[in-house]
Amino acid sequence: MKITRRPAFLIAISLAVGIITSYFMIKNKYFLSLKIILIIELIYFLFYLFFIFDNSKKSIYILLIILFFILGSFLSANLEYQYQHKLSINKFSNLSSAQIVAELVFDLGDLESDKLYLKPYLINGQKVRYGKILVHSQLLKAYNNGDLISLELDTALPPSPLNPGGFNYLQYLKNKKIFLQGWNLKNINLIQRKNQIKNILIQFKLSMLNNINNLFSKDNAAFIKSILLGEKEYLSYQQENLLRTVGASHILAISGLHMGIIILCFSSILFKIFSKRITALYLLSLFSLIYIILVGTSVSIVRAALLALLFLFSSEFNREGDFLNIISVTLIINLILDPSALFTVSLQLSYLLVLALFYITPLLSQLLTPVLAVSFSAQLASIAVTAYYFNEYAYLALITNLWLIPYITILLPFIFGLTILSLISYSFFEPLAFIVETGLNFLFKGLELMTVFQERPLVIAKPGLFLIVIYYLLLFSLPYLFQKRYIYIRARKYLIWQKIIPIILIIIIISFFINPSSNKLEVNFIAVGQGDGILINFPNGEVMLVDTGPPGNDGRSIEYNIISFLNNQGIKNIDYLMLSHFDADHAGGMPHLFKRKKVKRVLIPPFKEKTELHNTLEAEIKKKKISLNFLNSKMMFKIADCKIDILNPELNNLKEDRNENSIVFLLTHQNNSFLFTGDLSKEGENKIIQKYKLADVDVLKAGHHGSKNSSGSEFLDQINPKIVIISVGRNNFGHPAAEVIAKYNEKSINYLRTDQRGMIKCISDGDNILINTFK
């Protein structure tokens, strides 16, 4: 590749490398090293400019590369500079009733939720400059974007992940320059009202949203608002889960597909209306800019709009549209707008897919039909990134997208046109809504039909970053290896690599789905908030999940904590699901777990009275023919070389209080022992030590989240635990109780809390236990 042919590509690469370099310097907190690197870059730039530069094209490109490398380092470092600055709002975390003067900021991409942002100028009378506060409040919806207000609120840092595979909300918001969260808003007063152009766009979008709500049924309206305007507030879990299962989640994001469809349709109309092509292009550019702002200025839509417009404008300037240069220009613009986007899945997937469609599809078209080649190229480009970020892969996407993308290509322009026309005359165009309703009903029927072939996505353990890089290097080497070579002697050296590289790629893809088991016992105390969720990995590869934690809205708690961790570890099935008892903080996530994982056996305690969760469990057992076993004291069974002794409940002595009927069991792995006590009280603990002669245990799961009614002194003295694990989250019960913590300290018992240390992993080789904490 000659340097003179791909200047934009080389500049984009240098910009990305500069950002990556500074990112890792910042991540490892090597601020001194970062400053040194920036100084060295600047010195070399000046040295090259004054002593080497000779006005040739090559010199100009090299100078630009160095300059963009410096720019990349500066842009990425600037975010950390703002975050750590003395005028950053980051310095005001964990305040109660902070007095704030701030500008109100609406997110055009998310108008239907109660989420807004505050850009503070004063906090408790002190001047601040950097960062925004995320708040959830319908009270602020009465004001306009840009209004200056005063109010009181509580502040805190956004949460960071507590388990492997968890979403890093803190970093996500930080990348958007949102440094704090706020709640308990009160004493809101308007200081100055501002009229901004953005408010006109907000009102226009709200009118569109209102018309969509009136034109279509609730579920269809939610789907349309998502794919057309980026509003996902009222999208149901059923719709999201269905699209994820069949590999069609990408249509929910306003992406290059949507922008490409819309630009294609409107450019065709404008080119017919206006005799001058350049006039049509200017109007198309204006329309594209407004639409990009309306839907939230995502990376993929900026890339798609710029790519299409640059290709269209290239003919006006008598220039051939070079794909690699144009796509690189869009990357440069995206990185200048938001350098942190380089580390997001949206940017990585967006550009990988476009590159694959351009370079890999022609190669596959020699073997497959054009439609299959496109779909297969997209899957090859996305599988590694999807595995790394989401730990799931829906192979059904290969088939789903064959009909879904053409279907959406036809339906989306009609939806967009109807929405715009309804603003002009709602009553006149309202009857046409039934066409969209019918089209969407057929779409979802088709998606439901696809689930017959794949009940849930395949699970992939998170692959290493090095393996991901190797995969894409090999993948994008294929077009170069298989290009036509007319001089056979020269081409001969490529023949061996044409065989080796595809084989290596296949091996890497297969490795994504292989999850080798350890020969050790691993007990993972998952941070699930206020509840219990424990994953036990046995030496033979079988897994047991003890409790599911609380459900959260639409199962979001178990999805973000337990399911994300299971996927991160590549766990496809649950061999044993043990529910210690049927309180919501222990079994509430069970219904959602059945939707996301195949459960082979369920172990529960006997009960005196059924709960709604019992009814749900019965329905799932009948529907999926799951094995059900009731556990009570004096039972014992073995898994691999581990022994499980059930110590509670007593079958003939069940209590009214479900906590007292908790399954209590002793897990023994050779010379190591773990005791799990559910929500058992001191009374139940005393009965156990009277009934069983328990030896010292290595690890105790604290009863009832460290409640003062558990962890009795006699019980602790009898089992003499080396360490206690407290599964707890934010709560109003005072867990763990101060007197229990004092008791542990008095008896010199070490303890760890999941709310402070995140997931706690205990690894037993039969003689020793290694303990790791996520935080």
Side-chain angles (χ1 to χ4, degrees):
M1 181 183 295
K2 294 182 180 179
I3 193 167
T4 55
R5 294 189 59 193
R6 299 284 190 242
F9 172 71
L10 292 172
I11 289 172
I13 292 298
S14 66
L15 179 62
V17 170
I19 290 172
I20 290 170
T21 303
S22 58
Y23 170 80
F24 282 106
M25 291 296 102
I26 292 168
K27 187 176 181 181
N28 294 296
K29 302 189 184 303
Y30 297 144
F31 293 108
L32 179 60
S33 299
L34 180 59
K35 291 176 182 178
I36 292 171
I37 284 177
L38 284 169
I39 292 170
I40 291 172
E41 290 172 357
L42 186 59
I43 291 172
Y44 184 72
F45 173 77
L46 295 173
F47 174 79
Y48 191 90
L49 179 63
F50 290 108
F51 297 102
I52 302 177
F53 183 74
D54 59 5
N55 284 325
S56 66
K57 282 188 176 181
K58 182 176 180 180
S59 290
I60 292 172
Y61 294 148
I62 291 176
L63 199 66
L64 286 173
I65 287 170
I66 300 169
L67 183 61
F68 267 69
F69 198 101
I70 296 171
L71 179 62
S73 300
F74 174 77
L75 286 174
S76 188
N78 185 53
L79 174 63
E80 193 67 21
Y81 169 80
Q82 293 185 17
Y83 191 72
Q84 300 292 347
H85 198 276
K86 64 181 180 180
L87 294 179
S88 169
I89 67 170
N90 178 46
K91 308 298 182 184
F92 296 91
S93 61
N94 300 316
L95 293 179
S96 179
S97 294
Q99 303 282 337
I100 293 180
V101 175
E103 180 183 323
L104 190 59
V105 181
F106 283 72
D107 181 0
L108 262 167
D110 188 18
L111 291 180
E112 285 204 313
S113 73
D114 60 355
K115 186 166 62 178
L116 301 103
Y117 306 99
L118 298 172
K119 179 67 180 74
Y121 295 112
L122 294 173
I123 298 181
N124 288 343
Q126 296 185 44
K127 182 180 178 181
V128 290
R129 182 184 300 170
Y130 302 116
K132 295 193 287 286
I133 302 175
L134 169 65
V135 296
H136 293 268
S137 171
Q138 289 292 347
L139 296 174
L140 296 179
K141 290 286 187 177
Y143 298 92
N144 292 329
N145 181 82
D147 286 354
L148 192 65
I149 61 173
S150 65
L151 72 163
E152 294 179 26
L153 51 70
D154 301 337
T155 65
L157 290 172
S160 56
L162 294 174
N163 304 295
F167 178 59
N168 194 335
Y169 196 48
L170 174 66
Q171 188 63 46
Y172 171 78
L173 291 180
K174 180 181 173 183
N175 289 342
K176 294 177 175 292
K177 298 184 179 181
I178 301 162
F179 299 161
L180 295 177
Q181 285 183 297
W183 65 93
N184 292 338
L185 280 65
K186 55 188 177 184
N187 297 331
I188 303 169
N189 295 295
L190 177 66
I191 297 176
Q192 181 181 359
R193 186 172 293 279
K194 294 184 180 180
N195 295 316
Q196 298 180 342
I197 295 176
K198 187 176 178 180
N199 287 317
I200 298 174
L201 293 176
I202 288 171
Q203 292 304 315
F204 176 69
K205 185 174 181 180
L206 287 174
S207 298
M208 292 180 70
L209 292 170
N210 184 58
N211 275 18
I212 291 171
N213 288 330
N214 293 330
L215 284 169
F216 307 107
S217 62
K218 181 181 177 181
D219 285 344
N220 284 340
F223 180 72
I224 289 169
K225 289 182 290 187
S226 176
I227 66 169
L228 188 64
L229 297 172
E231 297 280 342
K232 300 181 177 64
E233 177 67 14
Y234 296 107
L235 195 68
S236 69
Y237 170 78
Q238 288 74 18
Q239 289 175 318
E240 288 185 277
N241 187 52
L242 176 61
L243 290 163
R244 179 176 59 233
T245 300
V246 300
S249 295
H250 59 89
I251 68 170
L252 292 178
I254 305 294
S255 65
L257 170 66
H258 303 67
M259 198 69 214
I261 293 170
I262 291 171
I263 284 183
L264 179 64
C265 294
F266 280 87
S267 62
S268 301
I269 295 170
L270 290 173
F271 289 154
K272 291 178 180 179
I273 294 175
F274 295 95
S275 57
K276 291 185 177 180
R277 180 182 171 88
I278 191 68
T279 305
L281 286 177
Y282 285 143
L283 286 173
L284 183 62
S285 301
L286 178 62
F287 161 76
S288 299
L289 177 62
I290 293 171
Y291 184 67
I292 288 171
I293 296 171
L294 279 178
V295 300
T297 325
S298 67
V299 164
S300 57
I301 197 169
V302 170
R303 188 264 307 157
L306 288 174
L307 184 64
L309 292 173
L310 286 171
F311 265 112
L312 289 171
F313 269 102
S314 62
S315 61
E316 292 300 314
F317 297 101
N318 297 316
R319 298 289 299 270
E320 181 183 351
D322 181 274
F323 170 77
L324 195 57
N325 270 339
I326 289 178
I327 197 71
S328 298
V329 168
T330 70
L331 177 61
I332 289 169
I333 294 171
N334 262 318
L335 290 180
I336 290 174
L337 290 174
D338 181 11
S340 64
L342 182 63
F343 305 99
T344 63
V345 62
S346 58
L347 183 139
Q348 293 164 14
L349 262 183
S350 178
Y351 281 88
L352 284 170
L353 284 170
V354 171
L355 289 171
L357 292 175
F358 189 83
Y359 287 110
I360 305 298
T361 301
L363 180 64
L364 294 180
S365 295
Q366 301 172 23
L367 306 171
L368 306 169
T369 62
V371 176
L372 270 176
V374 169
S375 186
F376 204 75
S377 296
Q379 298 311 306
L380 286 174
S382 63
I383 185 171
V385 168
T386 302
Y388 185 79
Y389 286 103
F390 304 114
N391 310 121
E392 288 186 336
Y393 174 65
Y395 59 83
L396 201 59
L398 186 63
I399 302 172
T400 303
N401 289 317
L402 292 179
W403 65 267
L404 181 62
I405 291 178
Y407 196 94
I408 288 292
T409 302
I410 297 170
L411 195 60
L412 188 61
F414 189 82
I415 295 172
F416 191 88
L418 179 59
T419 305
I420 296 296
L421 292 172
S422 67
L423 295 174
I424 300 170
S425 175
Y426 177 83
S427 58
F428 184 79
F429 291 100
E430 182 184 12
L432 295 177
F434 86 94
I435 299 175
V436 175
E437 288 276 343
T438 304
L440 288 177
N441 291 337
F442 275 114
L443 184 146
F444 281 102
K445 290 293 182 183
L447 293 176
E448 289 170 4
L449 182 62
M450 301 302 291
T451 60
V452 174
F453 304 100
Q454 182 177 353
E455 185 178 358
R456 56 180 66 88
L458 297 176
V459 175
I460 305 174
K462 185 174 182 177
L465 186 59
F466 178 75
L467 186 65
I468 299 292
V469 172
I470 293 297
Y471 172 80
Y472 283 112
L473 288 175
L474 295 178
L475 178 64
F476 287 104
S477 72
L478 292 179
Y480 176 73
L481 287 174
F482 285 91
Q483 65 178 304
K484 290 183 179 180
R485 302 180 191 279
Y486 296 100
I487 303 175
Y488 177 73
I489 296 175
R490 187 181 174 191
R492 187 159 46 187
K493 64 180 180 180
Y494 296 99
L495 294 179
I496 184 66
W497 294 110
Q498 288 176 355
K499 295 181 175 66
I500 292 175
I501 298 300
I503 291 172
I504 296 175
L505 277 172
I506 292 170
I507 291 172
I508 292 175
I509 292 173
I510 292 173
S511 73
F512 291 156
F513 301 95
I514 297 175
N515 188 26
S517 59
S518 169
N519 59 355
K520 297 179 181 179
L521 173 71
E522 295 184 4
V523 181
N524 305 278
F525 296 87
I526 306 169
V528 297
Q530 182 63 14
D532 274 10
I534 305 161
L535 182 76
I536 303 174
N537 297 76
F538 292 98
N540 65 349
E542 290 188 298
V543 298
M544 174 187 288
L545 181 63
V546 181
D547 291 336
T548 63
N553 294 330
D554 288 329
R556 282 182 169 82
S557 179
I558 180 174
E559 182 70 37
Y560 295 156
N561 297 317
I562 292 180
I563 299 298
S564 62
F565 173 65
L566 294 176
N567 289 348
N568 180 266
Q569 303 298 302
I571 295 173
K572 307 171 181 64
N573 304 314
I574 304 296
D575 297 293
Y576 306 90
L577 171 61
M578 179 188 289
L579 299 173
S580 64
H581 61 297
F582 278 75
D583 281 355
D585 59 335
H586 289 255
M590 175 195 62
H592 187 80
L593 179 71
F594 282 119
K595 295 176 183 177
R596 300 287 275 118
K597 296 293 175 182
K598 180 181 179 182
V599 178
K600 297 180 180 179
R601 304 173 190 85
V602 177
L603 313 173
I604 64 172
F607 53 87
K608 294 195 72 171
E609 186 176 346
K610 277 188 178 181
T611 67
E612 187 59 38
L613 287 170
H614 281 99
N615 296 330
T616 300
L617 178 60
E618 281 186 4
E620 290 290 341
I621 286 172
K622 290 178 182 178
K623 178 181 176 182
K624 299 178 180 177
K625 299 180 180 178
I626 301 169
S627 172
L628 175 65
N629 297 93
F630 290 89
L631 302 183
N632 55 75
S633 61
K634 296 186 179 179
M635 283 185 171
M636 187 275 288
F637 57 96
K638 291 185 176 181
I639 302 174
D641 58 349
C642 299
K643 186 175 72 164
I644 297 175
D645 292 286
I646 309 300
L647 310 180
N648 193 71
E650 296 178 344
L651 183 60
N652 299 320
N653 190 24
L654 297 178
K655 308 295 184 181
E656 295 293 335
D657 185 353
R658 285 194 297 270
N659 289 341
E660 298 305 307
N661 298 328
S662 293
I663 293 177
V664 177
F665 68 98
L666 180 68
L667 171 62
T668 306
H669 180 226
Q670 298 176 29
N671 297 321
N672 295 142
S673 57
F674 300 77
L675 183 59
F676 303 84
T677 57
D679 276 357
L680 198 65
S681 68
K682 291 178 184 178
E683 181 183 352
E685 292 172 349
N686 290 335
K687 286 184 179 180
I688 285 177
I689 59 175
Q690 291 170 9
K691 187 175 181 181
Y692 303 97
K693 295 182 178 180
L694 297 178
D696 293 356
V697 301
D698 294 301
V699 179
L700 167 67
K701 200 287 292 184
H704 207 174
H705 321 292
S707 162
K708 64 181 180 180
N709 297 320
S710 299
S711 297
S713 293
E714 293 180 16
F715 178 69
L716 294 175
D717 290 338
Q718 174 67 37
I719 64 173
N720 190 28
K722 292 180 181 176
I723 190 165
V724 175
I725 309 297
I726 307 173
S727 182
V728 67
R730 181 181 293 176
N731 64 87
N732 298 319
F733 309 109
H735 298 164
E739 52 261 53
V740 170
I741 298 299
K743 194 181 301 180
Y744 293 154
N745 292 329
E746 179 187 339
K747 297 178 182 294
S748 299
I749 298 173
N750 294 317
Y751 65 90
L752 293 171
R753 298 168 48 165
T754 57
D755 61 335
Q756 295 177 346
R757 306 302 292 270
M759 193 202 74
I760 301 164
K761 179 188 288 285
C762 302
I763 305 172
S764 164
D765 62 5
D767 292 313
N768 301 294
I769 296 177
L770 174 67
I771 297 179
N772 292 323
T773 61
F774 183 67
K775 296 188 68 173

